[in-house]
């Protein structure tokens, strides 16, 4: 009798031992992983996934997949202390982080504060961006230019340039300023375009205005009409034409069609009305076409027709030889949507295409549409830099 019970006890012990061995083999062979502490690499914590273990036990041996030759271990390493994810990823075409758009109020005796406030409250600005005031709101006399408002406008432009240079903002929208009082306050540049180019150490820059129907680049900017012919040269047209092409690509135009407008009436009529179109502009068109196979360049194009052709969709942009030739048609068709963009800067600077409108200051009649479009384009350019 004693041997019988001894045999039963031995069978039970062996059965329990076999069940324990199978239990550990069926669950631990592929369901465990390690957590390692980077500060104490010698310490390893073994963690068993209890849900997978229970499922394996319920399924039984028949449902088990063949065990791998070696245990599969997943190692999760914690980031070192003090690690912070970078704000932007260099080299990326699209920035996934929330862009920061800085803005100034311009000459606060004019409509700058009004159009900025209306744009921010319009509900039409992209929600995936932060809008940050550069400078401060000041109390000045409305409706008339004055030295105090010009001084604040100048100071805020300096702060905006510093923010762009340091990268604390991804783009800047500047409200209109009064050039006359700004120059009296010590501003020595012809306009904001030249100011930001110098402050951001950019020699390769240009002025561009873009609206819903027309985009215009300028070969010469704030200079007298008398000086334009002497300032035009083929190399400059090639340089600015390249900036204009790059801007079109940045806006998503895959193969930009760009016309170079002629300087003289009827494109000079083969030298009858001046030879600049044949000797300066035509060679620039040929060279741009040779070095940029990803775009189409045309010209010298008759100036009294080319802007209409662009509005009708035959061109994506026009390079104008001087300021008013390009801005008159642009403001005629796109006054409320056009935006001034300084091409070539490491970070974008934009502004509405209108002035301070002192006669409207404080009347609640200023149209913020151009400012709204400036903010919208600033976000797009900041995201695709």
């Amino acid at each position: 009798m004693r041997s019988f019970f001894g045999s039963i006890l031995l069978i039970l012990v062996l059965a329990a031992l076999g069940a324990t061995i199978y239990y550990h083999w069926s669950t631990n062979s592929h369901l465990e992983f390690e957590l390692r502490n980077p500060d104490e690499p010698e310490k390893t914590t073994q963690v068993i996934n209890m849900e997978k273990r229970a499922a394996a036990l319920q399924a039984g041996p028949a449902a088990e997949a063949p065990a791998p030759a070696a245990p599969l271990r997943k190692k999760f390493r914690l980031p070192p202390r003090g690690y912070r994810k970078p704000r932007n990823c260099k080299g990326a075409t699209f920035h996934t982080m929330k862009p920061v758009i800085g803005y100034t109020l311009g000459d606060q005796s004019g409509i700058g504060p009004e159009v900025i406030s209306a744009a921010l409250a319009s509900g039409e600005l992209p929600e995936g961006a932060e809008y940050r005031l550069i400078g401060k709101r000041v109390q000045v006399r409305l409706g008339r230019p004055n030295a105090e408002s010009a001084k604040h406008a100048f100071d805020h432009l300096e702060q905006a340039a510093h923010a762009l240079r340091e990268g604390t903002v991804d783009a800047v929208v500047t409200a209109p300023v009064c050039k006359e009082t700004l120059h009296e306050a010590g501003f020595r540049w012809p306009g904001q375009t030249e100011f930001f180019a110098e402050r951001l150490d950019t020699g390769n820059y240009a002025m561009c205005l873009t609206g819903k129907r027309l985009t215009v680049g300028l070969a010469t900017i704030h200079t007298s009409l008398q000086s334009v012919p002497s300032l035009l040269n083929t190399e400059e047209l090639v340089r600015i034409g390249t900036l204009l092409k790059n801007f079109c690509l940045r806006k998503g135009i895959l193969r930009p069609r760009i016309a170079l407008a002629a300087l003289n009436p009827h494109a000079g009529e083969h030298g009858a009305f001046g030879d600049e179109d044949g000797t300066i502009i035509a060679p620039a068109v040929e060279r741009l076409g040779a070095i940029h196979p990803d775009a189409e360049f045309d010209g010298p194009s008759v100036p009294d027709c080319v802007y209409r052709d662009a509005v009708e969709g035959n061109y994506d942009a026009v390079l104008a030889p001087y300021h008013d030739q390009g801005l008159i048609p642009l403001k005629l068709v796109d006054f409320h949507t056009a935006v001034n963009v300084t091409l070539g800067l490491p970070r974008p600077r934009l502004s509405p295409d209108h002035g301070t409108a002192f006669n409207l200051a404080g009347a609640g009649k200023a149209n913020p549409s151009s400012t709204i479009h400036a903010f919208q384009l600033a976000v797009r350019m900041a995201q695709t830099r």
Side-chain angles (χ1 to χ4, degrees), residues 104-234:
T104 67
L105 300 176
D107 190 317
Q108 297 183 49
S109 292
I111 63 172
E114 184 177 338
V115 293
I116 289 288
S117 297
L120 294 173
S122 67
E124 298 182 44
L125 305 192
E127 295 182 357
E130 176 187 341
Y131 304 95
R132 183 181 299 172
L133 173 64
I134 296 174
K136 60 183 179 180
R137 185 71 184 266
V138 294
Q139 297 297 322
V140 293
R141 182 179 57 182
L142 294 179
R144 299 181 69 179
N146 59 83
E148 183 184 1
S149 62
K151 177 182 177 298
H152 288 294
F154 190 1
D155 181 53
H156 297 167
L157 287 177
E158 291 283 16
Q159 293 181 43
H162 182 267
L164 285 175
R165 188 169 57 248
E166 297 299 315
T168 56
V169 297
D170 298 300
V172 160
V173 173
T174 59
V177 295
C178 175
K179 290 184 176 64
E180 180 181 355
T181 54
L182 204 58
H183 290 155
E184 293 173 356
F187 189 85
R188 58 179 175 80
W189 299 265
Q192 295 189 65
T193 299
E194 297 88 350
F195 166 79
F196 278 97
E198 181 175 316
R199 284 293 188 255
L200 273 66
D201 299 320
T202 302
N204 184 21
Y205 68 93
M207 181 175 173
C208 172
L209 287 99
T210 182
K212 280 190 173 181
R213 295 188 287 176
L214 186 59
T215 295
V216 175
L218 302 180
T220 59
I221 310 176
H222 301 114
T223 188
S224 69
L225 187 59
Q226 179 182 351
S227 65
V228 169
S230 63
L231 293 174
L232 286 179
N233 64 74
T234 299

